[in-house]
Amino acid sequence: MSALEPRDADAATDPDTPTDVVGRPGPPAAYDDAEGSLLDPAHRALSIGIVSVVLLIAFEATAVGTAMPVAARELNGVSLYAFAFSAYFTTSLFAMVLAGQWSDRRGPLAPLTAGISAFAAGLLLSGTAGAMWMFILGRAVQGLGGGLVIVALYVIVGRAYAEHLRPAIMAAFAASWVIPSVVGPLAAGTVTEHLGWRWVFVGIPVLVVFPLALALPAIRRTASGPADPAAPVSPWDRRRIRLALAISAGAALLQYAGQELRWLSLLPAAVGVALIVPAVRGLLPHGTHRAARGLPSVVLLRGIAAGAFIAAESFVPLMLVTQRGLSPTLAGLSLALGGLTWALGSWIQARPWTEPYRERLVVLGMVLVAVAIAAAPSVLITAVPVWVIAAAWGLGCLGMGAVIASTSVLLMKLSAPEEVGANSAALQISDGLSNVLLLAAGGAAFAALGGGAVGHAVTSHASTGSHPAAFAAVFLPMAGVAAVGAWVATRLHAAPVRG
């Protein structure tokens, strides 16, 4: 029996029928047994296909970031450089909400296909751009595709894999970032130097054919259509679509305000906050802002962990270049260990013996993240060897690997089948929006305390006039945010039902 076929009516009242966390009948017993693996005949094509999709996204993320400065310079668009990033994040926030509703109504196959197509089209548009505005437009189209893909992949995992296999597929997603994080920048730099930056963009879309051809038949067989084919298809929630547009516009305004440290910037910042606050309350689970137990705390923790870590990590190479005189290449290599330890943390949470201790594991992971971020500015002291930050960041990535994968697993465990799309979208919105907000806050604090122009510092191999206190103003608050996350991690299990 397929996991999507309707079961007998008596199943709902059969005491032996497994139920999900909200009391609805769960998957058939045969689907829930402890046998099987990611590469057994039932899952092999799907596993290889969707992991290949994540692998390509990882290569794109690492490679495009390397080629982006050269592209901006050749297109005379250095002054618009930041918008090439913000355009991606802004449109992806909207696409996540769209993908959640689309997947819950019709299944994840269509949004995944549309997302990969838009992702490839955006790369081609940027790679063939003759002006910076066209390049930014391509990045916006790419963001739409990325938002659709990531949510659709989560729905596929929730639909096609039994609960005991989900930690393993999340670990595989994390592992697929290891090679790109090490090889991607070097490969992109070589291609950019010898063939030109455009080939970094136009070469990747060709590679999507393999994972599509492999995964789509398996997705159509195991995860297509609505979660309950017998139930009427719910209409589009136009209110959520409007809120998604509001949160995207608000994020864009806050990013713009964070780049322009002038009094006039307070106006777009205020408008951005006015758009984001009601949108967040409408799009995230009720109680997220107060860390209510269960799903709200899972969604909140995802944003706290991702935002604090990414905001801090963005300043690590800059600190090493400007304060310790390392070359950009050596500064980037100082973070290379993190890719391996991130995968290790994700692998550990996938071990069956960790399941009863998942909440404790997540708390420990957040403590490691907080310690790593707090230890990073120690290299501002000349007597502290540079390798300390590499070791600290490896420890932080170990914690992040356990936390990020575990929040994904817990979200699926706490979601009814027909709500996986919307809840996955909420998880990704929390992740993406937190990145935007904490990066903007960190960048503003950095600039306000004499950090100087980040763009000039990054492109310079020499030390700049950045004040050490500017870096401390980024890392120490982010360590505090991560410490708050350790407390939120104690509230991931749903409150017991009384009565």
Side-chain angles (χ1 to χ4, degrees), residues 3-33:
L4 296 177
E5 290 179 24
R7 295 180 290 278
D8 293 338
D10 293 338
T13 57
D14 186 348
D16 294 327
T17 300
T19 59
D20 61 24
V21 293
V22 293
R24 295 179 176 85
Y31 189 68
D32 241 359
D33 64 34

Side-chain angles (χ1 to χ4, degrees), residues 90-369:
T90 299
T91 55
S92 66
L93 286 172
F94 170 74
M96 290 170 188
V97 178
L98 183 66
Q101 289 200 46
W102 196 351
S103 297
D104 286 339
R105 294 178 75 252
R106 298 294 184 183
L109 181 60
L112 178 70
T113 306
I116 291 179
S117 300
F119 195 79
L123 284 167
L124 291 174
L125 193 59
S126 292
T128 57
M132 192 62 181
W133 69 267
M134 184 64 73
F135 183 89
I136 293 173
L137 177 61
R139 290 287 293 166
V141 173
Q142 192 182 342
L144 283 172
L148 290 172
V149 168
I150 189 65
V151 173
L153 285 177
Y154 271 62
V155 177
I156 290 168
V157 171
R159 296 271 193 92
Y161 293 88
E163 186 174 322
H164 70 276
L165 291 178
R166 293 171 190 164
I169 192 65
M170 289 301 167
F173 284 174
S176 66
W177 279 81
V178 175
I179 295 177
S181 66
V182 176
V183 177
L186 178 62
T190 302
V191 170
T192 300
E193 182 178 347
H194 293 92
L195 298 177
W197 65 268
R198 295 182 185 275
W199 285 99
V200 175
F201 289 85
V202 302
I204 294 176
V206 179
L207 303 178
V208 304
V209 176
F210 167 73
L212 275 180
L214 192 62
L216 289 185
I219 296 171
R220 185 176 292 109
R221 185 176 64 253
T222 61
S224 62
D228 184 358
V233 177
S234 58
W236 286 94
D237 189 338
R238 296 182 180 179
R239 176 178 174 273
R240 290 182 66 86
I241 298 296
R242 290 194 297 270
L243 292 176
L245 289 171
I247 203 171
S248 298
L253 288 170
L254 284 178
Q255 290 175 81
Y256 172 78
Q259 295 161 21
E260 300 289 335
L261 291 180
R262 298 179 299 174
W263 285 109
L264 289 177
S265 300
L266 293 176
L267 179 60
V271 175
V273 170
L275 289 171
I276 285 177
V277 171
V280 166
R281 292 179 67 88
L283 292 173
L284 301 188
H286 179 70
T288 298
H289 67 286
R290 54 182 174 84
R293 287 191 173 275
L295 184 63
S297 284
V298 171
V299 172
L300 177 61
L301 178 63
R302 180 57 166 264
I304 288 175
F309 190 81
I310 296 302
E313 187 178 59
S314 300
F315 286 87
V316 169
L318 180 60
M319 180 172 63
L320 294 177
V321 169
T322 61
Q323 303 300 309
R324 297 302 296 262
L326 270 66
S327 68
T329 300
L330 286 177
L333 287 175
S334 69
L335 303 178
L337 175 65
L340 295 173
T341 57
W342 189 304
L344 177 61
S346 188
W347 179 84
I348 290 173
Q349 66 80 38
R351 300 304 90 200
W353 58 267
T354 65
E355 187 58 40
Y357 311 102
R358 185 171 295 279
E359 184 176 284
R360 296 180 186 177
L361 180 64
V362 175
V363 172
L364 175 61
M366 287 308 302
V367 170
L368 293 179
V369 172

Side-chain angles (χ1 to χ4, degrees), residues 346-426:
S346 188
W347 179 84
I348 290 173
Q349 66 80 38
R351 300 304 90 200
W353 58 267
T354 65
E355 187 58 40
Y357 311 102
R358 185 171 295 279
E359 184 176 284
R360 296 180 186 177
L361 180 64
V362 175
V363 172
L364 175 61
M366 287 308 302
V367 170
L368 293 179
V369 172
V371 169
I373 297 175
S378 66
V379 299
L380 294 169
I381 303 171
T382 307
V384 176
V386 173
W387 60 260
V388 168
I389 199 169
W393 222 248
L395 198 66
C397 286
L398 178 68
M400 284 294 288
V403 171
I404 296 300
S406 289
T407 52
S408 301
V409 171
L410 288 168
L411 176 121
M412 295 173 196
K413 185 176 182 179
L414 295 170
S415 300
E418 67 273 15
E419 297 172 346
V420 172
N423 290 341
S424 297

